[in-house]
Amino acid sequence: AQATVNETAGSATPLAPGQEALVLALATSGRRLQLAIAPAGAGKTTAMHALTRAWTAGGGTVVGLAPSASAAAQLREQTGTTTDTLAKLAWSIEHDDLPPWALDIGDRHLLIIDEAGMADTRSLATVSTWAAARGASIRLIGDDQQLAAIGAGGILRELRQHDQTVQLTELMRFADPAESAATLALRAGQPSALGFYLDHQRVHVGDLTTMTEQAFTAWATDRRQGRDSLMIAPTRAVVADLNRRARAQRLTVDPTIPGRSRPGEGKEARLADGNAASAGDIVITRKNDRWLRISRTDWVKNGDRWVISSVRPDGSLRVQHQINRRVINLPRRYVAKAVELGYACTIHSAQGVSVDTVHGVATGEESRQQLYTMLTRGRHANHLWLQTVSDGSPGTLIHPDGTHPPTPTDLLERILARDDTARSATTLARQQQDPRMLLGDATQRYLDGLSVAAEQLVGPYTARAIDQHADTLLPGVSDDPAWPALRSHLLLLAAHDADPIDALTTAVRSQELGSARDRAAVLVFRLVDTRPSTTSAAGPVPLPWLPPIPDRVAADPTFGPWLTARAELITRHADELRNQTANAALQPGWSPAAARRLDDQLLAEVEI
């Protein structure tokens, strides 16, 4: 392995230090199963080629697997080895019908499973267990922050917990190093990543129709300037619309269709997406068909892109593959069911694609993983055309976003916060025991229980008096978003035998409220100083900023023991979180990058 790494130093494509470390780790670890995390643009292709050479140089054999047939074909081009889909081998194992190349797999074999993040856990388990039983080694290559499997997944997140996981951190795809750093921050869900895209005018906003039109115009401009450009959209309907526009422009700019002079070649074929296509159009096949062979080892696959050479009289298409340049006839029945125009594609179809520029249309409902995939396909520029204006339908007028429209930055931050990565059952079980989750839930139960107990014990007369007095002082305050919190605070004052009416009146009259967007929230802030001292509390005070249990509530045989138990639970979870933070190898993600580790107590208190 070291000799192979040394050989690449003088080649046309030398390995970066991170790639060298990854190849050596995967080739020499001696582990049966090992995971390598490769973010978008990290030079995975070059590393896999070097790993294949290193393994075969030692007398071994490499076999490649991938979740999709197109990814398997790319892996075959990268490594020059036998490849197939993970699902095909899993099916063959379960039905005892192994292909010839799988019959010989043994202890000298290395199975590279590419795009492992998109593989379902069941297929991975079937293939890995079978291969390990034969003595083979398995290497999973993928990214747990890109698009996940359609079936049950999330195993990559679980495997990352092991120390033997290796990761590429240097990005090779992007021309601008600042964009490389921005994509890594985007991958981690850090809002700071948005600064690059906003500052470099990569985010364009408007209604969906306008964004679609402008994305198409920008794409067409890039194409005229000789760039390899791709349009990406969140839905098949928008993709079909963009494809229709692209073909219409092609025919307008160049109405002379190549080959029209030959019989039958100027005709159009109706495709599965409802669009028409003729000679010169780019199309994409949407279904694997092993009967449509383009070579001894290759066939027509879902995601392949082709250029139409001619439309035959029977409705079939003669097409040429965009990458390997091989030619094949696609039958009319296959064309009608599984061929679409290929100028634009969905986000899932774009994973694994690398082009010069990308123009992606987004509605604001995407997940972080979808945004990350969309904005990491282009080497020189990745543009986002973001819908920020609703369609004006009556239903949107009463929605909060209709009355208080979010800014583009707000929408992008929402997308970053929308983590849609798959989680395995083991991961979910561990998260359910995480004190971070348990502490938040226990705190909310404690606060809600205090409010209910206070209202029950002060009685309906006092509760009605608080409601009536509040609306008299500030008409409509009960409609403010923070009214439940203000009402709960006043009820707790009453349970502490304080005068809630007097406290509210003083808070209202202390300063003006006319400029407040939420008067109830402002009053809660003003009333904090009126909260009884925690030193005189009847029961334990779980956290300094939480209200204590009133004496009257603590003495109640029903509410008292229950709230005391909730307070003790909060204290226990807070202590667990303190210990977890102090013993963690890495600082929390929110902590600033510094030369030295921050004080453990400070980290723990902020975490809490």
Side-chain angles (χ1 to χ4, degrees), residues 20 44-46 62 66 129 141 162 172 179 213 269 300 309 326 336 395 424 435 445 450 569 576 593 600:
E20 290 182 2
K44 177 185 65 174
T45 299
T46 304
V62 176
T129 303
I141 316 295
H162 298 279
M172 311 296 175
E179 185 159 10
E213 292 175 352
V300 173
S309 302
R326 294 191 178 99
S424 68
R445 290 174 183 269
L450 269 181
L569 188 62
E576 291 171 355
D600 286 343

Side-chain angles (χ1 to χ4, degrees), residues 474-503:
L474 290 173
V477 72
S478 58
D479 294 326
D480 286 1
W483 166 247
L486 175 59
R487 186 173 187 270
S488 175
H489 194 104
L490 295 171
L491 289 168
L492 278 174
L493 286 176
H496 278 289
D497 297 325
D499 187 348
I501 303 299
D502 181 64

Side-chain angles (χ1 to χ4, degrees), residues 202-414:
R202 299 287 181 82
V203 180
H204 317 272
V205 299
D207 63 89
L208 184 59
T209 300
T210 303
M211 290 299 93
T212 303
E213 292 175 352
Q214 292 184 358
F216 169 76
T217 302
W219 169 85
T221 300
D222 282 349
R223 296 274 292 185
R224 285 195 299 270
Q225 295 175 352
R227 297 189 183 98
D228 181 14
S229 188
L230 177 68
M231 293 182 286
I232 302 176
T235 65
R236 300 288 287 271
V238 177
V239 167
D241 180 50
L242 289 170
N243 278 324
R244 186 163 45 251
R245 293 170 186 263
R247 180 173 188 269
Q249 185 189 68
R250 186 184 75 84
L251 295 179
T252 301
V253 174
D254 184 15
T256 304
I257 300 175
R260 180 171 287 220
S261 59
R262 293 190 291 273
E265 293 191 353
K267 294 183 178 181
E268 292 183 341
R270 185 62 57 179
L271 305 182
D273 60 356
N275 287 315
S278 53
D281 276 322
I282 298 174
V283 294
I284 184 170
T285 47
R286 288 298 188 189
K287 182 180 179 182
N288 296 332
D289 194 326
R290 293 174 183 260
W291 294 103
L292 297 176
R293 312 290 300 190
I294 58 178
S295 72
R296 185 179 61 85
T297 59
D298 203 4
W299 61 90
V300 173
K301 301 174 295 299
N302 178 23
D304 281 348
R305 278 184 163 72
W306 314 76
V307 177
I308 299 178
S309 302
S310 63
V311 180
R312 298 305 179 89
D314 62 354
S316 64
L317 297 179
R318 186 162 183 80
V319 296
Q320 184 179 47
H321 199 282
Q322 276 198 312
I323 297 177
N324 58 39
R325 317 308 294 176
R326 294 191 178 99
V327 176
I328 190 175
N329 287 331
L330 298 177
R332 178 179 61 83
R333 180 175 298 179
Y334 182 88
V335 170
K337 292 184 177 180
V339 177
E340 301 173 358
L341 286 175
Y343 301 101
C345 67
T346 61
I347 301 173
H348 278 78
S349 299
Q351 181 150 311
V353 174
S354 181
V355 294
D356 291 332
T357 62
V358 161
H359 296 278
V361 179
T363 63
E365 298 300 321
E366 290 75 19
S367 66
R368 181 207 309 167
Q369 287 71 33
Q370 289 176 311
L371 182 67
Y372 174 61
T373 300
M374 184 184 291
L375 293 181
T376 53
R377 303 300 99 200
R379 290 180 286 268
H380 298 286
N382 295 273
H383 290 266
L384 183 68
W385 303 83
L386 179 64
Q387 177 188 358
T388 57
V389 181
S390 68
D391 56 9
S393 61
T396 63
L397 298 179
I398 60 174
H399 191 274
D401 285 354
T403 57
H404 297 85
T407 66
T409 304
D410 291 336
L411 289 175
L412 290 172
E413 288 180 345
R414 289 183 191 177

Side-chain angles (χ1 to χ4, degrees), residues 363-573:
T363 63
E365 298 300 321
E366 290 75 19
S367 66
R368 181 207 309 167
Q369 287 71 33
Q370 289 176 311
L371 182 67
Y372 174 61
T373 300
M374 184 184 291
L375 293 181
T376 53
R377 303 300 99 200
R379 290 180 286 268
H380 298 286
N382 295 273
H383 290 266
L384 183 68
W385 303 83
L386 179 64
Q387 177 188 358
T388 57
V389 181
S390 68
D391 56 9
S393 61
T396 63
L397 298 179
I398 60 174
H399 191 274
D401 285 354
T403 57
H404 297 85
T407 66
T409 304
D410 291 336
L411 289 175
L412 290 172
E413 288 180 345
R414 289 183 191 177
I415 294 175
L416 286 185
R418 199 174 292 129
D419 186 354
D420 198 29
T421 52
R423 291 170 174 81
S424 68
T426 305
T427 299
L428 287 173
R430 186 176 61 253
Q431 289 178 342
Q432 292 300 319
Q433 300 302 316
D434 188 340
R436 288 176 179 81
M437 295 186 64
L438 297 174
L439 179 59
D441 180 70
T443 301
Q444 292 304 317
R445 290 174 183 269
Y446 173 80
L447 290 171
D448 187 60
L450 269 181
S451 178
V452 172
E455 183 167 9
Q456 291 292 322
L457 296 179
V458 302
Y461 175 80
T462 301
R464 282 196 302 270
I466 291 173
D467 296 340
Q468 293 171 0
H469 186 69
D471 273 322
T472 300
L473 278 175
L474 290 173
V477 72
S478 58
D479 294 326
D480 286 1
W483 166 247
L486 175 59
R487 186 173 187 270
S488 175
H489 194 104
L490 295 171
L491 289 168
L492 278 174
L493 286 176
H496 278 289
D497 297 325
D499 187 348
I501 303 299
D502 181 64
L504 179 61
T505 303
T506 301
V508 169
R509 293 175 179 174
S510 61
Q511 296 182 53
E512 63 87 23
L513 285 168
S515 61
R517 286 182 297 176
D518 188 339
R519 297 168 297 175
V522 175
L523 290 172
V524 170
F525 178 78
R526 294 180 186 177
L527 286 168
V528 166
D529 291 336
T530 66
R531 191 175 68 191
S533 171
T534 57
T535 59
S536 61
V541 181
L543 295 171
W545 55 85
L546 292 179
I549 303 173
D551 292 343
R552 193 191 307 185
V553 175
D556 185 84
T558 300
F559 291 112
W562 188 87
L563 284 167
T564 300
R566 302 282 75 71
E568 292 171 349
L569 188 62
I570 293 173
T571 301
R572 184 163 69 250
H573 291 323

